[in-house]
């Protein structure tokens, strides 16, 4: 992905990419599909599958926010609060680190209201609330040896694996290493689910894209503007997306620059013949500006692509 300013290439971000056809066969790749990466929050749908398989009684909206990296807008905080309250819990039971809302506007409003960092405002609080419920309120639910986390690792291994390593994510939950090709298989599972738990996660995310990310966030705008899509981005430039026609996309920006994901997604949409509405283009590839005027652009070039 290239960022230009005044006709000069100012920055270049290399992206590893795997795109699968609706039948699961390879459409194109850039980079090494077997290279291992932390899937970060792009693996949340697989973790939610483990939560559902544990028997946790979640509503569809709760499934969506469990799979989210939310912006901390009022709708998100209300959804997580309701999930906890319905099971007799509050944010004090959450094991995620206290934080401010991820969304800029939401953070400003939160601070203006006199709030400081809280576990509830942390963008992974929905995942943690669902995990806590699935673990029966056990405060040790984040321990990698806890039965719930063993189940989460197994679900990731099944849907996006093989799991090649693990560490701790920014929120405090286990973070798993998988090959990029594994993330593409997760995207394909969400696009063409055959497992009931996977189907429920995909349906919940499609139904409530506003809960999965937030206002003007790539995940939410893609799912809103292209109904039938499922998308989940992660820290350090990771994206898993199932497109309306069943195409599956997995991307990792090698230098971690998340801004490269939008232009890459637009290039993939063009390559598979879907196109992109203007509202999606505006969020995915905002103009490069100087003194308030457009002076450049963000563009992705699918170099070193193989077309099967």
């Amino acid at each position: 992905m290239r960022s230009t300013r005044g006709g000069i290439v100012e920055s270049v971000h290399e992206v590893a990419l795997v795109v699968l056809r609706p039948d699961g066969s390879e459409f194109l790749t850039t980079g090494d599909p077997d290279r291992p990466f932390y899937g970060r929050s792009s693996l949340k749908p697989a973790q939610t599958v483990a939560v559902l398989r544990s028997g946790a009684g979640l509503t569809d909206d709760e499934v969506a926010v469990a799979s989210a990296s939310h912006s901390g807008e009022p709708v998100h905080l209300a959804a997580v609060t309701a999930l906890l309250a319905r099971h007799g819990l509050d944010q004090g039971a959450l094991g995620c680190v206290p934080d401010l809302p991820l969304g800029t506007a939401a953070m400003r409003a939160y601070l203006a209201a006199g709030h400081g960092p809280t576990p509830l405002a942390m963008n992974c609080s929905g995942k943690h609330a669902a995990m806590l419920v699935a673990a029966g309120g056990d405060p040790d639910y984040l321990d990698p040896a806890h039965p719930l986390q063993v189940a989460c690792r197994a679900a990731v291994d099944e849907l996006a694996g093989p799991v090649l390593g693990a560490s701790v994510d920014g929120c405090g939950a286990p973070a798993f290493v998988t090959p990029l090709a594994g993330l593409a298989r997760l995207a394909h599972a969400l696009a063409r689910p055959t497992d009931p738990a996977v189907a429920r996660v995909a349906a919940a995310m499609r139904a409530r894209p506003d809960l999965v990310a937030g206002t003007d966030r790539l995940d939410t705008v893609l799912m809103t503007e292209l109904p039938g899509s499922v998308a989940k981005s992660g820290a350090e430039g990771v994206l898993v997306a199932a497109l309306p026609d069943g195409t599956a996309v997995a991307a990792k920006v090698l230098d971690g620059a998340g801004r490269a994901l939008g232009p890459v997604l637009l290039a993939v949409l063009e390559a598979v013949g879907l196109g992109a509405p203007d509202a999606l283009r505006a969020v995915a590839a905002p103009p490069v500006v100087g003194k308030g005027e457009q002076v450049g652009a963000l563009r992705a070039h699918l170099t070193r692509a193989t077309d099967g």
Side-chain angles (χ1 to χ4, degrees):
M1 194 286 292
R2 297 176 182 174
S3 174
T4 60
R5 182 180 295 272
I8 300 298
V9 176
E10 188 170 36
S11 300
V12 177
H13 305 291
E14 185 177 353
V15 181
L17 176 69
V18 176
V19 181
L20 304 179
R21 294 186 177 93
D23 65 3
S25 63
E26 181 184 291
F27 175 67
L28 65 83
T29 66
T30 66
D32 180 3
D34 296 320
R35 182 170 175 173
F37 298 105
Y38 283 103
R40 303 297 296 268
S41 287
S42 289
L43 292 173
K44 281 178 179 173
Q47 292 168 306
T48 305
V49 166
V51 166
L52 291 177
R53 289 175 177 174
S54 76
L58 302 184
T59 68
D60 290 344
D61 284 359
E62 290 167 352
V63 170
V65 81
S67 307
S69 297
H70 63 70
S71 290
E73 298 168 17
V75 66
H76 305 129
L77 305 186
V80 179
T81 298
L83 168 57
L84 290 167
R86 201 165 65 82
H87 294 272
L89 300 165
D90 60 32
Q91 68 167 312
L94 295 174
C96 54
V97 295
D99 204 351
L100 294 171
L102 183 64
T104 301
M107 179 179 66
R108 288 173 177 166
Y110 199 72
L111 290 171
H115 301 300
T118 63
L120 180 65
M122 203 274 162
N123 72 90
C124 299
S125 64
K127 176 180 78 173
H128 280 257
M131 286 182 171
L132 185 63
V133 168
D138 186 348
D140 295 325
Y141 73 96
L142 294 179
D143 187 331
H146 191 283
L148 175 65
Q149 296 305 333
V150 172
C152 284
R153 180 172 181 139
V156 170
D157 189 75
E158 171 195 340
L159 296 169
V163 171
L164 302 172
S167 185
V168 182
D169 215 327
C171 65
F176 301 110
V177 178
T178 72
L180 188 64
L183 293 178
R185 287 193 294 275
L186 173 60
H188 184 259
L190 293 168
R192 292 287 189 266
T194 58
D195 177 272
V198 177
R200 187 159 180 232
V201 170
M205 294 174 71
R206 289 188 183 106
R208 292 299 307 270
D210 58 318
L211 290 180
V212 175
T215 304
D216 293 334
R217 297 266 307 280
L218 182 62
D219 302 11
T220 293
V221 176
L222 172 63
M223 290 187 282
T224 300
E225 295 297 320
L226 289 181
S229 300
V230 180
K232 188 68 202 74
S233 59
E236 297 298 321
V238 185
L239 176 68
V240 165
L243 302 181
D245 68 344
T247 298
V249 182
K252 162 63 180 172
V253 186
L254 299 190
D255 65 4
R259 72 170 182 169
L261 292 173
V264 167
L265 177 63
L266 294 179
V268 171
L269 288 169
E270 181 178 352
V272 300
L274 286 177
D278 289 344
L280 175 58
R281 290 186 176 277
V283 170
V288 174
V289 299
K291 202 177 181 181
E293 301 292 332
Q294 181 170 359
V295 295
L298 305 177
R299 294 286 185 270
H301 305 269
L302 300 181
T303 58
R304 296 190 295 114
T306 61
D307 188 343

